[in-house]
Amino acid sequence: MLLENTMPVLLSRLDFAWITSMHILWTPMTIGMSWLLFALEMAWLKTGDERWYKLNRFFEKIFIINFGAGVATGVTMEMAFGILYGPFSQAVGPFFGNILGFETITAFMYEAGFIGLMVFGWGKVSKGMHAFATFNVGLSSTLSAMWILVANSWMQSPNGVVLKHGLFQVTNWWHAILNDNFVWGFPHMWVACLELALFVFAAVSSWFILKNRNADLFTKLLKPTLLALLIVTPIQIFIGDTLGRDVAMTQPTSLAAMEGHYHTYLPNGKVNTGWHLIAFPNAKNDGNSFAITIPHVLSLLETHTWNGKVTGMDSFPAKDRPDVWVPFYAFRAMVAIGFFLFFVALWGNWLRLRGQFNAQALRKHPWFLRSVVFSGFLPYLAIWCGWWTREIGRQPWVVYNLMRTYQGVSHMSVGQEIFWFTGYIVFELVVWSGAWYFFSRVIRKGADDIAPSESLFHHPDAGETDAGRAGGGFAKPTFAKPTMDKSR
C-alpha cells in the first residue's frame, strides 16, 4: 500500500507533470492557429489579395509541424493515465470514459478528417470547400479542448458525482460537465490559445521585418495581428481575474497557496487583507518567514471590497494544504506576462496611430520589433505557469476533496517509476527537438518558394468541358497507363 509523500508518489507526480507540460506546448498553438489560418483564408477569398494566400500557406507549414508534435505527445499522455495513475483511471472511468471518448471523436475523427482536406486539398477541392475544411479544423480543435477542460475542471470542482464502491458514479451529467471551474476555466484556456497564436504570428512577422526579408508581406500581417491583440489581451486579464475569484469560492486552499495567504485574521482580530508581492513560506508551511505585503490589495482583488475576508490556509488541516512555492510564484509570473503582453499590444498600436507602421519605419524601432519577437515565447511560459498553478494548487487531491493523489497513483516500485520517467523524458525531448528543427527550416526558408494560387486555382481554358475540371482547382485529371507483365 502506498503512503502519502513517498518517493513513488513523488515520481508519479513529476513524471505526469513532465508529460503534460511538454504536451501543452503544442495543443494551444493548434487550437489558436487553426482559427487564424481560417481568418487568413477568408481574407484571401474576400479580397483576392495574393499576399493573404502566401501568408496562409507559410503559417500552415508551422501548423502542420505543431499538430504532428501535439498528436505524438498526446497519445503518450493517454498511455500515462493508465501506467502512472491506474487506480485513478479506474475510479473516474464512469465519467472520464465518456468525456475522453467524446474528445477522441472530435480530435481523432472529426478534426483528423478535415485536417487532411485542409492540408492536402489545395487545388483538389473548391476554394469555398477548402475554407469550410479549415473552419472545421478550428471548430473541432476547440471542441477537443472543451472536453479536455471539462475533465480537468471536474477534477478541480467535482460536481454531479458520488464516490461509491470505489467508483465516481455520475448523478447529474449537466452538473458534472458544466462544473463550477469549467465555466471560466475553459474560456480562460481558449483565449490563451488565441493569444499565443497571435503572438507567434506577430513574433515571426517582426523577425522577418528585422531581417528585411519579405518585410512588406509580414508588415501586412503584423497590423491586424496587433490590433486583435489589443482586444484579446485585456479580455484575457478580465477572464483570469474572474476565474481567480471563482477559485477563491470553490478551491479556497488553492487560492490561499496562489497568494501565500496563511492567516485569515491578523493577531489583532482584524481581517487579513494584505497581498504579498514577494513571500518566502517557512518549512512548516504554516506561515511566511519573509514577505513584502501591501494592505487591502488581496481583498480588492478577490472580493472587490476594501476589507473583504479571504480564507487563509489556517482554516484547513495541515495535511490538506498544498505546497505554496510553485503556485505562488508561477501565478505571479503568469499575471506579469499577461500585463506585459498587453503593454506590447498598446505599444504597437500607438506606433500605428503615429503612422509608423510600414516596414521601413518599423525598422527604425528595433526595440519594439525585438520585444515582439521576445513576446512570442512568453505565452508558452504563461500557459505553463497557469497549468502548474492549477495542478499543484489542487494538491494533495487528485480529485478535489474526494480522492487524494496517493490513492490514485499506480502501485509501482521506485525502479519502475524511474524507468517510465526516463523513457518519457527521452521521447518528449526527441519530439521537441525534431519539431524545432523543422520550425527553423520553415522560417529560414521564408515565403519565397510559395507558388502563386493560380498554379492550383486557375480559370478553365476556353472550350474546356466540365469533365476536364478535376475538383475545385480545375486541375486536369491524369490517369496511370495500365501495363502488362509479359513474363506472366
Side-chain angles (χ1 to χ4, degrees):
M1 179 179 177
L2 286 177
L3 298 177
E4 202 159 10
N5 299 322
T6 57
M7 185 57 69
V9 175
L10 176 62
L11 288 172
S12 289
R13 289 180 58 190
L14 289 174
D15 195 352
F16 204 76
W18 167 260
I19 293 166
T20 53
S21 295
M22 295 303 289
H23 178 59
I24 209 171
L25 284 172
W26 314 110
T27 47
M29 172 77 102
T30 297
I31 297 161
M33 189 175 280
S34 59
W35 288 111
L36 299 188
L37 290 176
F38 175 67
L40 289 176
E41 191 163 354
M42 292 305 297
W44 170 56
L45 292 178
K46 185 176 180 180
T47 65
D49 191 331
E50 189 72 7
R51 289 175 294 180
W52 294 125
Y53 171 79
K54 292 191 73 172
L55 288 165
N56 189 5
R57 296 304 301 271
F58 171 78
F59 280 102
E60 186 183 67
K61 297 176 185 178
I62 295 176
F63 174 86
I64 293 167
I65 299 166
N66 187 87
F67 179 81
V71 170
T73 56
V75 170
T76 53
M77 188 176 71
E78 295 289 343
M79 291 171 52
F81 272 112
I83 294 171
L84 301 175
Y85 283 84
F88 164 77
S89 300
Q90 184 176 13
V92 300
F95 179 65
F96 265 41
N98 289 279
I99 299 305
L100 296 183
F102 298 151
E103 192 274 335
T104 300
I105 291 171
T106 54
F108 291 96
M109 296 180 186
Y110 180 18
E111 184 180 16
F114 278 105
I115 203 170
L117 194 59
M118 184 186 86
V119 174
F120 302 109
W122 291 104
K124 298 179 178 64
V125 297
S126 68
K127 296 177 182 179
M129 178 56 70
H130 191 277
F132 178 71
T134 306
F135 168 81
N136 277 278
V137 171
L139 179 59
S140 58
S141 63
T142 297
L143 290 173
S144 175
M146 183 197 75
W147 290 119
I148 292 296
L149 263 293
V150 164
N152 184 265
S153 295
W154 176 84
M155 293 166 64
Q156 317 292 334
S157 51
N159 305 139
V161 299
V162 293
L163 182 57
K164 189 175 182 180
H165 305 305
L167 297 174
F168 287 97
Q169 300 181 10
V170 180
T171 58
N172 189 309
W173 279 101
W174 283 111
H175 290 172
I177 292 173
L178 301 177
N179 57 77
D180 295 332
N181 189 270
F182 172 79
V183 174
W184 288 105
F186 172 63
H188 190 49
M189 190 67 215
W190 189 85
V191 175
C193 297
L194 186 61
E195 187 174 6
L196 166 64
L198 284 167
F199 266 107
V200 169
F201 268 34
V204 172
S205 299
S206 296
W207 186 85
F208 276 100
I209 296 168
L210 272 172
K211 298 296 182 181
N212 199 20
R213 291 181 55 199
N214 303 116
D216 291 332
L217 175 67
F218 284 97
T219 300
K220 185 173 181 63
L221 177 63
L222 189 59
K223 290 179 181 179
T225 300
L226 286 170
L227 182 60
L229 283 168
L230 187 62
I231 300 169
V232 170
T233 49
I235 289 176
Q236 179 70 324
I237 292 170
F238 168 77
I239 295 174
D241 174 68
T242 307
L243 178 60
R245 288 187 287 120
D246 178 78
V247 170
M249 293 185 290
T250 59
Q251 286 181 282
T253 53
S254 180
L255 189 280
M258 290 159 55
E259 300 294 0
H261 184 58
Y262 283 96
H263 305 294
T264 309
Y265 297 96
L266 297 171
N268 61 11
K270 292 183 178 180
V271 173
N272 183 5
T273 64
W275 178 78
H276 305 307
L277 178 64
I278 297 174
F280 298 153
N282 63 30
K284 294 181 179 179
N285 200 27
D286 61 0
N288 294 312
S289 56
F290 172 81
I292 298 176
T293 306
I294 307 174
H296 301 291
V297 172
L298 181 61
S299 293
L300 287 172
L301 289 174
E302 304 304 336
T303 68
H304 290 187
T305 61
W306 189 248
N307 290 306
K309 186 182 80 169
V310 179
T311 305
M313 291 273 226
D314 58 359
S315 299
F316 305 94
K319 64 183 180 65
D320 293 340
R321 300 174 188 173
D323 295 327
V324 172
W325 279 97
V326 174
F328 181 84
Y329 284 104
F331 177 68
R332 274 149 183 74
M334 178 185 65
V335 172
I337 290 170
F339 278 98
F340 178 81
L341 297 179
F342 179 44
F343 166 75
V344 171
L346 284 173
W347 190 359
N349 283 279
W350 177 69
L351 290 175
R352 183 178 184 178
L353 290 174
R354 292 184 59 204
Q356 301 290 307
F357 228 87
N358 57 73
Q360 185 176 359
L362 281 173
R363 281 196 295 275
K364 295 179 181 179
H365 300 278
W367 281 109
F368 166 71
L369 294 174
R370 292 185 188 114
S371 297
V372 178
V373 172
F374 176 67
S375 298
F377 298 95
L378 290 181
Y380 288 101
L381 180 57
I383 289 174
W384 260 0
C385 289
W387 198 256
W388 296 338
T389 300
R390 185 179 179 88
E391 292 300 296
I392 298 175
R394 191 186 61 240
Q395 298 301 319
W397 308 95
V398 66
V399 179
Y400 190 66
N401 277 341
L402 291 178
M403 185 181 209
R404 298 180 82 86
T405 301
Y406 81 94
Q407 295 172 321
V409 301
S410 298
H411 297 175
M412 291 192 288
S413 66
V414 171
Q416 290 171 318
E417 292 280 1
I418 292 174
F419 170 80
W420 285 109
F421 199 0
T422 304
Y424 279 123
I425 288 174
V426 171
F427 175 79
E428 303 286 354
L429 288 178
V430 168
V431 173
W432 184 86
S433 302
W436 273 102
Y437 169 75
F438 288 109
F439 282 149
S440 61
R441 286 192 60 182
V442 168
I443 293 173
R444 282 199 305 268
K445 200 170 185 179
D448 293 323
D449 67 329
I450 297 175
S453 61
E454 292 181 357
S455 63
L456 294 175
F457 299 95
H458 65 273
H459 297 288
D461 297 331
E464 188 176 1
T465 64
D466 289 343
R469 299 188 239 166
F474 306 129
K476 293 182 179 180
T478 58
F479 300 93
K481 184 178 179 180
T483 58
M484 182 177 293
D485 188 349
K486 296 180 180 180
S487 63
R488 292 185 178 180

